[in-house]
Every structure is written in structure tokens, then in C-alpha cells.
Amino acid sequence: MNFLRILTLVIFLFLFSGCFSLTKELPPQKTYTIGLNNKEIKKSKLNTKKSLKVYEPKVINSLNTKAMNYIKDNIYKSSYVLSKWSDEPSRMIQQLISSYLNKTQIFEYVSSSDLRLKSDYKLLSELISFEHIYIKNNSFASLEIRVFLIDNKSKKTYFQTFSYLEKLPENTTKEYVVTMNSISKTFTEDLTLFIINSLNNHTIK
């Protein structure tokens, strides 16, 4: 009996030390984010003198994680071990929108604060896709988000779904991040046009 206990202990220690060794030998995890080039953001000709509150997008829990997700052939879903986002996608998108719209100066001020601040308009959204998709030998960056612009006084609502699927030049994590940043820039530009058109079709008092 003592022999079996000793043998079990030796095997356990061997396996544990092996796992620990493998963990130590893994390269450091890289952290990526979605950002903006402030020099490329142009001030809008429309200035409403109004305020806007940007809310964090609604999103399912499995998608809203710092882990960098990928899907293979619409069947297999997993995450990269050595790469992650700096924040949850919903938070990155919220800050991206808020930062961009602030610099366009369409509104007197744009807030994404959790504080209960009064605003003339609010921007709600649903994040549907924020993933790296593999289809056979090709891969794509996917972003899909549905946006609702609401006048808090009249309750008038404008909505639009923005969907982007862009092929990567190479099937690498780095190219995925670069492409997702490019898509995010396009999204903020399209969103700005959507907001301007919505406000132009609505009497601003």
C-alpha cells in the first residue's frame, strides 16, 4: 500500500512539474486594442449645440470577452491563447464612438459616463458580431452592429444596421487586428453620416 502511495505521489509531481514547465516556456500574451488616428477626424459642418449620451452596446456574454475569438467554417468556435483584447468589445466600441463623435463636434458634448447625466439625444446599440472568421483557406474580420439614435424629448428614433466583412491579406492575428481597426474607422465614419442625415431630417429645436 505504501508503495502505491509513493508511486502515485511521484507520478503526480512529475505531471505537475511538466505542466508548470510548459507554462513557463509559453511566450508572453499580447494585448491589442481598437484605436483612432485623431489627425484623420474632421470637424463636421453641423453643430447642433445639443448633447449626446453614448451607451455601452448590448451583446451576448460569449462574444463580450477580452479573449480574441475566431470561428472556423461556421462550426468551430474558440479563442487565441497568446492574444487578447485590452478591454471587452462593447467597452471598446463605446469609447470608440464617444471619442470620434466628440472630435466631430456635431454635439456640444458627448458622454459615455455611467453617471446619470441629462442629454438631448442618446445612442443605443447592439453588437452582433466582432470576430475573426475562417472559411476554408481564407479569413475575414467581421463587425456588425445595430444603432439607435433617440431624441429624448420627442422620442423620435432612427436606426440602422452596420455590417462589415473584410478579407485579411494574411491569416494572422496581427492582420486581424489591423483589419478590425480599419473596419472600426469605416464604421465611425458611416455612423457619423447616419447621425448627420438623421438630424437633418429631424427639426432641431
Side-chain angles (χ1 to χ4, degrees), residues 27 36 44 49 57 68 71 87 143 166-167 173 187 198:
L36 293 170
S44 172
K49 304 297 182 182
M68 196 172 287
I71 299 176
D87 205 344
L143 172 64
E166 188 168 329
K167 184 178 178 181
T173 309
F187 162 64
S198 299

Side-chain angles (χ1 to χ4, degrees), residues 27-28 55 105 122 136 147 163:
Y55 287 82
Q105 297 183 21
K122 61 184 175 184
K136 295 183 179 180
V147 171
S163 185

Side-chain angles (χ1 to χ4, degrees), residues 32-61:
Y32 299 96
T33 191
I34 299 297
L36 293 170
N37 184 343
N38 293 332
K39 294 181 180 179
E40 297 179 355
I41 304 176
K42 297 180 180 179
K43 180 180 176 181
S44 172
K45 293 180 180 179
L46 174 66
N47 190 322
T48 65
K49 304 297 182 182
K50 301 288 185 177
S51 58
L52 174 72
K53 174 70 178 289
V54 178
Y55 287 82
E56 184 175 349
K58 299 293 184 182
V59 59
I60 59 174
N61 292 333

Side-chain angles (χ1 to χ4, degrees), residues 6 13 17 35 76 83 93 95 97 104 109-110 113 120 123 127 131 146 159 166 170 176-177 205:
I6 293 172
L13 290 174
S17 62
Y76 178 73
S83 301
I93 293 294
Q95 295 307 314
I97 294 172
T104 63
Y109 74 84
V110 179
S113 171
D120 299 298
L123 192 73
L127 185 58
E131 293 163 313
R146 185 176 295 114
F159 66 91
E166 188 168 329
E170 296 180 7
Y176 166 56
V177 174
K205 298 180 180 179

Side-chain angles (χ1 to χ4, degrees), residues 59-65 67-80 89 127-134 176:
V59 59
I60 59 174
N61 292 333
S62 62
L63 184 63
N64 202 33
T65 170
M68 196 172 287
N69 297 324
Y70 66 89
I71 299 176
K72 281 191 174 182
D73 298 324
N74 296 320
I75 298 175
Y76 178 73
K77 183 172 183 178
S78 188
S79 302
Y80 293 109
L127 185 58
I128 302 167
S129 177
F130 189 91
E131 293 163 313
H132 189 181
I133 299 176
Y134 287 89
Y176 166 56

Side-chain angles (χ1 to χ4, degrees), residues 99-138:
S99 178
Y100 192 93
L101 291 178
N102 254 318
K103 290 180 172 58
T104 63
Q105 297 183 21
I106 295 173
F107 299 94
E108 193 70 17
Y109 74 84
V110 179
S111 171
S112 59
S113 171
D114 292 331
L115 298 176
R116 293 185 177 180
L117 301 175
K118 288 186 177 181
S119 63
D120 299 298
Y121 293 88
K122 61 184 175 184
L123 192 73
L124 307 179
S125 55
E126 298 172 351
L127 185 58
I128 302 167
S129 177
F130 189 91
E131 293 163 313
H132 189 181
I133 299 176
Y134 287 89
I135 302 176
K136 295 183 179 180
N137 296 324
N138 298 315

Side-chain angles (χ1 to χ4, degrees), residues 120-184:
D120 299 298
Y121 293 88
K122 61 184 175 184
L123 192 73
L124 307 179
S125 55
E126 298 172 351
L127 185 58
I128 302 167
S129 177
F130 189 91
E131 293 163 313
H132 189 181
I133 299 176
Y134 287 89
I135 302 176
K136 295 183 179 180
N137 296 324
N138 298 315
S139 70
F140 306 81
S142 172
L143 172 64
E144 185 172 354
I145 182 169
R146 185 176 295 114
V147 171
F148 303 85
L149 177 65
I150 303 172
D151 183 325
N152 287 328
K153 185 177 180 179
S154 68
K155 304 305 177 184
K156 179 71 175 179
T157 301
Y158 299 89
F159 66 91
Q160 184 169 325
T161 299
F162 300 88
S163 185
Y164 309 90
L165 184 67
E166 188 168 329
K167 184 178 178 181
L168 275 59
E170 296 180 7
N171 296 341
T172 64
T173 309
K174 182 179 179 181
E175 287 297 338
Y176 166 56
V177 174
V178 170
T179 305
M180 187 59 84
N181 268 274
S182 175
I183 287 176
S184 298

